[in-house]
Amino acid sequence: MPHDTSEQHHPHSLLPSDPALRVKALETLLVKKGLIDPKSIDEIINTYENKIGPQNGARVIANAWVDANFRDALLKDATASLASLGLSGRQGEHIVAVENTKATHNMVVCTLCSCYPWPLLGIPPSWYKSDAYRARAVREPRKVLSEFGVHLPEEMNVRVWDSTAEIRYLVIPERPENTAGWSEEELIKIVSRDSMIGTALVVVPT
Ligand code: FE
């Protein structure tokens, strides 16, 4: 299946040995030639660092926990539900929400590269892009989960979702039982990025 077809090249196998250095060299060259404005580059970086991040996803999850209608709509057509909240854009065109239950735990990977729901979770963490995670999440998901500190009962199913440029996944973690009566704002604070990838559970800090 194609991944990141918008890129000229597949973003992984062809990476140079020192991508950061090459990016810097390119940026310098483009600025020098007057083709780009360094301020607009800073703005893009600021957007992804500060405005687009897991706090968006956490808001969605907390909303789904307190509003059954929103949860149902999210599970039925996440892309439309998210667009209604203004959460769309690059790498968020087609999102599918999968829900953790007592019977099933969901976990997301991109085996081919690093497809990820940017508008909801920001930029993927380096481990998500690592060869080890991409290969092992599919081969031995329970072992990988245990390394993240997630120990699931044996009878629980683990479903691994392989992202592509066509479909990105959002895990709806289980709401902790001892959060009855919590406000949405309180719930947002306990939803971690990793819990929305499926490599963590949501727990109430003690
Ligand atoms: Fe990918």
Side-chain angles (χ1 to χ4, degrees):
M1 273 202 254
H3 290 242
D4 279 334
T5 44
S6 59
E7 309 280 348
Q8 237 186 333
H9 298 294
H10 194 276
H12 294 275
S13 52
L14 300 169
L15 281 181
S17 56
D18 191 347
L21 192 67
R22 282 177 182 253
V23 166
K24 196 71 214 159
L26 277 172
E27 188 189 344
T28 307
L29 199 65
L30 291 168
V31 170
K32 235 182 201 169
K33 286 186 175 285
L35 293 171
I36 56 167
D37 175 3
K39 275 190 204 135
S40 58
I41 299 278
D42 290 344
E43 183 52 35
I44 291 168
I45 291 170
N46 176 45
T47 298
Y48 279 102
E49 274 184 349
N50 300 311
K51 296 179 192 164
I52 297 175
Q55 70 274 14
N56 289 347
R59 193 163 290 280
V60 170
I61 300 304
N63 195 349
W65 281 347
V66 299
D67 180 349
N69 288 332
F70 177 74
R71 171 194 160 275
D72 293 346
L74 188 65
L75 286 169
K76 206 172 159 201
D77 185 350
T79 312
S81 301
L82 295 166
S84 73
L85 300 175
L87 296 169
S88 58
R90 189 166 151 71
Q91 301 241 6
E93 293 88 352
H94 301 285
I95 292 179
V96 169
V98 291
E99 185 179 44
N100 285 349
T101 64
K102 293 266 174 283
T104 304
H105 180 86
N106 296 283
M107 150 184 201
V108 182
V109 66
C110 175
T111 55
L112 204 54
C113 51
S114 57
C115 297
Y116 190 75
W118 287 14
L120 299 173
L121 301 183
I123 302 289
S126 54
W127 57 259
Y128 185 85
K129 298 183 274 187
S130 70
D131 292 343
Y133 180 75
R134 285 159 43 216
R136 294 182 57 224
V138 176
R139 213 170 53 222
E140 42 183 14
R142 282 173 194 274
K143 189 148 189 287
V144 171
L145 285 172
S146 73
E147 289 164 22
F148 275 96
V150 176
H151 306 280
L152 301 172
E154 258 182 49
E155 63 275 16
M156 191 182 264
N157 298 311
V158 176
R159 288 195 74 172
V160 181
W161 300 87
D162 193 2
S163 314
T164 67
E166 278 76 40
I167 303 178
R168 322 285 161 116
Y169 296 93
L170 172 72
V171 174
I172 306 177
E174 266 204 288
R175 177 175 176 170
E177 277 164 12
N178 50 348
T179 58
W182 283 34
S183 72
E184 218 168 311
E185 291 305 315
E186 288 172 305
L187 291 168
I188 287 168
K189 289 186 194 130
I190 60 169
V191 180
S192 67
R193 175 195 67 198
D194 291 4
S195 73
M196 295 179 276
I197 306 173
T199 52
L201 304 176
V202 175
V203 287
V204 175
T206 44

